[in-house]
Amino acid sequence: MPSRKALIVRTTLALSAVTAAGAAVALSTGAEAATPAAAPAPATASAHPTPGTTAGTTPATQAPAPGATPTDPAPATTRHGTGDRPSPAAKPRTAEPTRHAAAPKPPAPLPAKSLPDSEAARWKPMGPANTRPVGPETRLNECATVRGAASWQQQGYVSAFKTPAIEDSFTFATEAAATGAYQNLVTDLAGCQDTSREVQRKAGLTADARVERTAATADGDAYRRQWTGVAGMSAPGAQTNHVYLVRRGATVTVLQFTEMRTASGPHHSYDIRDDRATLAILAR
């Protein structure tokens, strides 16, 4: 039986399996106490690969399989549903959803060429954007969680280095709710270094995580995490995660991408001096 507070857990950025054509990275979502149609049961993130439906992955060995689509039932409807109340015959039910239409439509995902380090990474989208079912909490990575979103749109990308990026846009019923969610994310990421090191200690690794804020605007923040990742929500191994948060009206957008520090990875490092420009692009 699902618990009363469903927690949708999504993995953060990491290296995953790529198709022979090199055009798709398997991104996966784990879920706890969600309906079977909305998300799979708790497991390693690679157990339920879905194209472009999460912010990142653990390593997988199979091509993406169909996952959640825009036709999936939206928890916001069931959460606020009025179908158990009789309606007068003179008032059709089709008029009721307007009561829950306060959240704006998510913005279109960024063109791949607008992503950070696009000249070197040569990002490509992994199919169209997906609408994901939301629960009371949606976990972005080991550190940060979005709470109270009304809708969730997700776009995945893959680089020439076979590394993933993900853009998630969360809409809220009011601008105040979006502001609160954004501020909670800033608080979460301010403590990400301690959180990441605790994850490493529990995995028996050297606690080497370093997290810093690299840019900030009135409603935007960029962060860099350099660490030896722990398999689960991240891929294992030395890596650098870049995270960008932007609030626009009643929408909060989160962009993440990873650089894997391996022999087969990129032979350069992304210049964080461009992070402020990335925040401006996200706030378009």
Side-chain angles (χ1 to χ4, degrees):
M1 287 290 290
S3 65
R4 296 177 63 183
K5 291 187 178 178
L7 171 64
I8 296 181
V9 181
R10 35 120 35 186
T11 57
T12 184
L13 300 172
L15 187 64
S16 352
V18 180
T19 60
V25 174
L27 298 180
S28 61
T29 300
E32 178 178 302
T35 59
T44 58
S46 61
H48 304 283
T50 58
T53 58
T54 68
T57 64
T58 54
T61 56
Q62 59 188 60
T69 69
T71 59
D72 287 340
T77 301
T78 58
R79 196 160 56 242
H80 304 289
T82 56
D84 57 347
R85 280 202 311 270
S87 300
K91 295 182 179 180
R93 288 181 178 274
T94 53
E96 291 186 6
T98 60
R99 294 165 53 191
H100 308 298
K105 181 179 179 181
L110 284 180
K113 65 181 180 181
S114 296
L115 266 63
D117 204 27
S118 60
E119 183 175 346
R122 303 196 300 277
W123 297 104
K124 294 181 180 180
M126 292 187 289
N130 284 328
T131 298
R132 299 291 298 161
V134 292
E137 296 185 345
T138 303
R139 194 152 178 207
L140 296 175
N141 52 38
E142 291 87 352
C143 303
T145 300
V146 173
R147 297 172 178 85
S151 70
W152 173 17
Q153 175 184 275
Q154 195 173 77
Q155 175 67 61
Y157 308 85
V158 62
S159 76
F161 305 123
K162 308 293 190 291
T163 53
I166 198 79
E167 180 186 343
D168 295 284
S169 286
F170 299 90
T171 62
F172 295 80
T174 65
E175 184 171 332
T179 299
Y182 167 77
Q183 292 172 341
N184 286 337
L185 288 174
V186 171
T187 299
D188 287 346
L189 287 166
C192 190
Q193 179 167 296
D194 290 342
T195 300
S196 300
R197 289 184 176 184
E198 181 61 22
V199 169
Q200 291 178 310
R201 279 190 286 268
K202 288 181 178 179
L205 300 178
T206 300
D208 64 359
R210 289 184 293 139
V211 179
E212 61 181 317
R213 188 169 71 168
T214 57
T217 60
D219 290 296
D221 290 271
Y223 299 86
R224 177 175 66 179
R225 175 173 64 175
Q226 298 171 298
W227 71 320
T228 302
V230 176
M233 294 194 71
S234 293
Q239 60 193 272
T240 300
N241 309 133
H242 300 273
V243 185
Y244 306 86
L245 315 174
V246 168
R247 183 195 66 81
R248 293 163 289 175
T251 299
V252 174
T253 297
V254 182
L255 173 67
Q256 301 187 74
F257 79 95
T258 287
E259 298 175 275
M260 296 301 296
R261 301 197 301 270
T262 64
S264 60
H267 298 291
H268 77 289
S269 295
Y270 167 70
D271 191 342
I272 59 173
R273 289 179 295 181
D274 293 334
D275 279 354
R276 188 176 179 87
T278 297
L279 291 175
I281 292 171
L282 280 173
R284 68 202 184 283

